[in-house]
Amino acid sequence: MTATLSRPAPAHLSPRLTAATAGRVLRQLRHDHRTIAMMLVLPSLLLGLLYLLWKDVPMMPGQPGVFDRVGLTMLGIFPFVVMFLVTSIAMLRERTSGTLERLLTTPLARLDLLLGYGLAFGLAAALQAVVTVTVATTVYDLEVTGSVWLVVLIAVVDAVLGVALGLLASAFARSEFQAVQFMPVIVLPQFFLCGLLVPREQMAGWLQAISDVLPLTYAVEALQEVGRSSEATGRMWVDVGIVAGAALVALALAAATLRRRTS
């Protein structure tokens, strides 16, 4: 049977409540060793697999090696995918356990809740990016023309996008299995059309038009800019801004779709 829970009048956005929510999520993450391993270890292991596949592939004269080109791009894609999965399942657990409904009967604003999640997982994403980029550049000898810290920044912004889309997807799932089912719908089309598998200028016009509205396209383009130029370019900053804007829009939509219902 479904019942609607009452709650106090909507509260204003409170940095204190946002920080408290982020702290609660981080404490939960600290005790979830499998999730920590998935966020911090899995991307480096997957990148290592790509390194083993392509380390002996000869380079074209004047061109970066296959691993340098693809590995740099994957430093943005892996955090996006991992944080999407982790966040969508974590938020769904909040719903199914009744924690979300109890929180929404307090003065906690919906945006406070989602910003708290975004802040917590954003901090986890920053640590993930630092670990993965460090392993890539030291253990796997990934060569980057631009600043490594720009790679970290783009990876973090891309991971936050995964967090925001994961929060949004969790609103439409009733089980963890359904949450995972959203991955082929939200993640795979962006991966296929981001320009990694086929340069975007070689795509059919209608596919390129779809690629133009997918945020992962701009994360990949920003990383490619770092791979080509030793200095941060205007194009790179525009791409990072687009990805960050898409994350904010997804967070706003997620806040609008929160339901205060329990079974």
Side-chain angles (χ1 to χ4, degrees):
M1 181 176 179
T2 301
T4 303
L5 296 181
S6 60
R7 68 171 296 186
H12 296 293
L13 185 65
S14 167
R16 181 179 62 83
L17 293 177
T18 298
T21 301
R24 179 180 65 82
V25 174
L26 288 172
R27 286 191 296 272
Q28 290 176 337
L29 279 177
R30 186 180 62 185
H31 298 292
D32 190 342
H33 302 300
R34 285 180 297 182
T35 299
I36 291 175
M38 184 175 182
M39 289 191 298
L40 300 184
V41 179
L42 182 61
S44 296
L45 292 178
L46 292 175
L47 200 63
L49 181 60
L50 295 179
Y51 171 73
L52 293 174
L53 285 173
W54 286 319
K55 67 174 183 175
D56 295 324
V57 176
M59 294 183 291
M60 297 291 292
Q63 297 293 323
V66 176
F67 176 72
D68 290 335
R69 180 175 57 84
V70 177
L72 176 62
T73 303
M74 297 307 292
L75 287 174
I77 293 176
F78 284 151
F80 171 74
V81 175
V82 170
M83 298 310 290
F84 174 85
L85 285 173
V86 170
T87 308
S88 59
I89 292 174
M91 177 56 82
L92 188 64
R93 288 176 179 172
E94 297 275 67
R95 294 174 184 274
T96 56
S97 67
T99 301
L100 179 63
E101 287 82 357
R102 291 192 295 272
L103 287 172
L104 289 177
T105 61
T106 71
L108 181 69
R110 290 181 294 179
L111 195 54
D112 274 321
L113 177 67
L114 293 178
L115 286 178
Y117 262 85
L119 177 60
F121 282 109
L123 291 173
L127 182 58
Q128 178 195 63
V130 170
V131 170
T132 307
V133 172
T134 301
V135 171
T137 54
T138 57
V139 179
Y140 305 142
D141 296 322
L142 180 72
E143 295 184 2
V144 181
T145 302
S147 171
V148 171
W149 290 109
L150 289 176
V151 178
V152 172
L153 171 65
I154 297 167
V156 171
V157 174
D158 208 21
V160 172
L161 173 65
V163 169
L165 291 176
L167 292 172
L168 179 60
S170 70
F172 304 97
R174 295 183 178 274
S175 67
E176 292 183 15
F177 179 69
Q178 288 184 356
V180 173
Q181 286 179 319
F182 277 103
M183 184 175 169
V185 177
I186 296 176
V187 174
L188 289 185
Q190 299 196 63
F191 174 72
F192 292 150
L193 298 177
C194 69
L196 174 63
L197 302 180
V198 177
R200 294 175 61 236
E201 58 271 14
Q202 296 180 15
M203 297 179 185
W206 63 276
L207 286 176
Q208 190 169 350
I210 295 174
S211 176
D212 288 341
V213 300
L214 299 177
L216 189 60
T217 297
Y218 299 95
V220 169
E221 188 173 72
L223 286 168
Q224 290 172 340
E225 286 290 310
V226 176
R228 283 192 293 260
S229 174
S230 59
E231 300 291 336
T233 66
R235 178 72 258 176
M236 187 214 73
W237 288 118
V238 169
D239 290 335
V240 171
I242 291 173
V243 177
L248 290 176
V249 170
L251 278 176
L253 291 174
T257 57
L258 278 180
R259 296 290 182 265
R260 301 185 300 275
R261 294 184 181 273
T262 185
S263 296

